[in-house]
Amino acid sequence: MRRVYLDHAATTAVHPEVLEEMLPYLKEEFGNPSSIYSWGREAKAAVEKARARLAHLLGAHPAEIVFTSGGTESDNFALRGVAAANSQKGNHIITTKIEHHAVLHTAEQLEKEGFRVTYLPVDRDGLVRPEDLEEALTPDTVLVSIMFANNEIGTIEPIAELARIAKSKGVIFHTDAVQAVGNIPIDVKELNVDLLSLSGHKIYGPKGTGALYIRRGTRIEPLLLGGAQERKWRAGTENVPGIVGLGKAAELAEKELPQRMKHLTELRDLLINGVMERIDHVRLNGHRTQRLPGNASFCFEFVEGESLLLNLDLAGIAASSGSACTSGSLEPSHVLMALGIPPEVAHGSLRLTLGRDNTREDVEYVLSVLPDIVARLRAISPLAPGGVKEDV
Amino acid sequence: MYNEKVMDHFMHPRNVGEIENPDGVGQVGNPVCGDIMKIFLRIKDGRIEDIKFKTFGCGAAIATSSMITELVRGKTLDEAMTISNKVVAEALGGLPPQKLHCSNLAADALHAAIEDYKRKRVS
């Protein structure tokens, strides 16, 4: 049976060239970068090479990159670190209703610890309105955290404008760019952001790797205390093979970015247009054009997401959904709710995220099986109009 | 996640559909939590002569709906009333723990349909 992986927003396969660069550091190059002898010096050099590569991808200075264990740690570091370092200045944080849980749950914890948090709404396409940010800023605001691109619906936020508004009031601006890095061009200097979270495994690097970009001079405290690694910004012996892999993944992302964007955008539009043409009562989630090149997100009315995923899996297709059943809660995804989608429609969400290895044939295969799956589930559904009266 | 029996009922649900002018109809669940089960009954001589269902929901919701139609067809109403959600889950060889609460509602839908039948008969 044909197998098609369409969940690249969840994770990606390690690029063969990334694996190749990592292998020596899992074998003979096992030294601790903090050691002064040759093993240590070689490991240290490898970490610094990776740092330079990642900095180059972002338009940052290498000293502004701190390696972490991934996007979640970077988000925790940014929010908790800024909150701790600036609590004398104020206790107000602004974020949005559609952030990843790594930001949302950290913000909720900070609320318990005495911070006030404003969760900005979004429009029906998932875009934050700059005027809402402007209105929310107070003299007590110490941090604005707005994601670069949404993981579920793919909408790309107007980060440059939002950062400009925050910075004009002297407020630190953080962006969770886990889904954006490697998929669209990002230059931290041009965007004027202070903090940026990223993850290795979303860009064909290894899991358990990530980084936080920290603009020089940003008032922030470390999350993890201990040794003097990462110039005391992140204690703990470096994940050398992982960092080497992340560095290589960053280099490849920079080199391949124009082709990746073109390839993914073509496949995405083929997929979106094909689904909208072949299936009725379907809604495209997220902005039509201001969206990640590889993201296609839909809601199919009258059917439930987990049922869709199970059927797709039996057809060899890997996808994801924001239905309650797949989110592990009783309510559908907070992102789809924030768009104003009714719960019963949000339960029928399906996210297909493309990657560099996907082909036209993959998309055509999905388009050949998806309409029948939706039709079959609708025939069972009491919500579907003109319900089928006979056995199916 | 699901065992083979659950997947069999999910992919090949038994007795899907509606009954025209049914003797009893029961619906449980709500769109917010993502599960709606509707059961249609034809009753003859105090027994369930025919049963059909329509379900909006996850794999467990569809499989339990299908399973209960097999369990109660031909049974007396009193026998059918003794079938619980737990019995349905056991007949399927078990469900993942998180599904036992949210999607295991088929017996509730059946009982609602039987109550509907009894109400109609009285009136």
Side-chain angles (χ1 to χ4, degrees), chain A residues 301-304 306-308 310-311 314 324-326 330-332 343-345 347-348 376-384 386-392, chain B residues 1-2 7 10-13 15-20 27 30-38 52-60 62 98-99 102-103:
Chain A
E301 287 184 61
F302 323 125
V303 300
E304 192 276 334
E306 188 202 274
S307 295
L308 277 173
L310 289 169
N311 274 282
L314 288 168
C325 285
T326 54
L330 285 178
E331 279 160 20
E344 66 271 28
V345 178
H347 280 296
R376 197 183 79 80
L377 290 170
R378 282 180 176 168
I380 305 176
S381 173
L383 301 179
V388 180
K389 303 268 182 192
E390 305 300 325
D391 277 24
V392 290
Chain B
M1 186 172 147
Y2 291 127
M7 285 306 289
F10 170 63
M11 286 307 288
H12 309 286
N15 305 306
V16 172
E18 298 179 9
I19 294 173
E20 281 195 57
Q27 180 171 318
N30 69 69
V32 177
C33 66
D35 284 311
I36 298 175
M37 298 181 186
K38 197 169 182 181
K52 293 273 169 72
F53 83 92
K54 282 281 190 79
T55 291
F56 163 79
C58 64
I62 291 169
Q98 74 273 17
K99 296 290 182 185
C102 62
S103 309

Side-chain angles (χ1 to χ4, degrees), chain A residues 2-54:
Chain A
R2 192 181 181 99
R3 291 180 83 214
V4 179
Y5 185 80
L6 287 176
D7 204 14
H8 291 84
T11 195
T12 59
V14 171
H15 193 294
E17 288 181 46
V18 168
L19 178 64
E20 200 179 318
E21 287 225 6
M22 289 172 69
L23 284 175
Y25 298 93
L26 289 160
K27 296 194 280 189
E28 63 272 19
E29 302 279 355
F30 62 86
N32 186 324
S34 298
S35 305
I36 60 163
Y37 42 73
S38 62
W39 281 268
R41 292 197 305 273
E42 281 153 17
K44 177 80 176 165
V47 168
E48 294 315 313
K49 184 177 171 188
R51 196 187 310 281
R53 283 171 162 177
L54 184 54

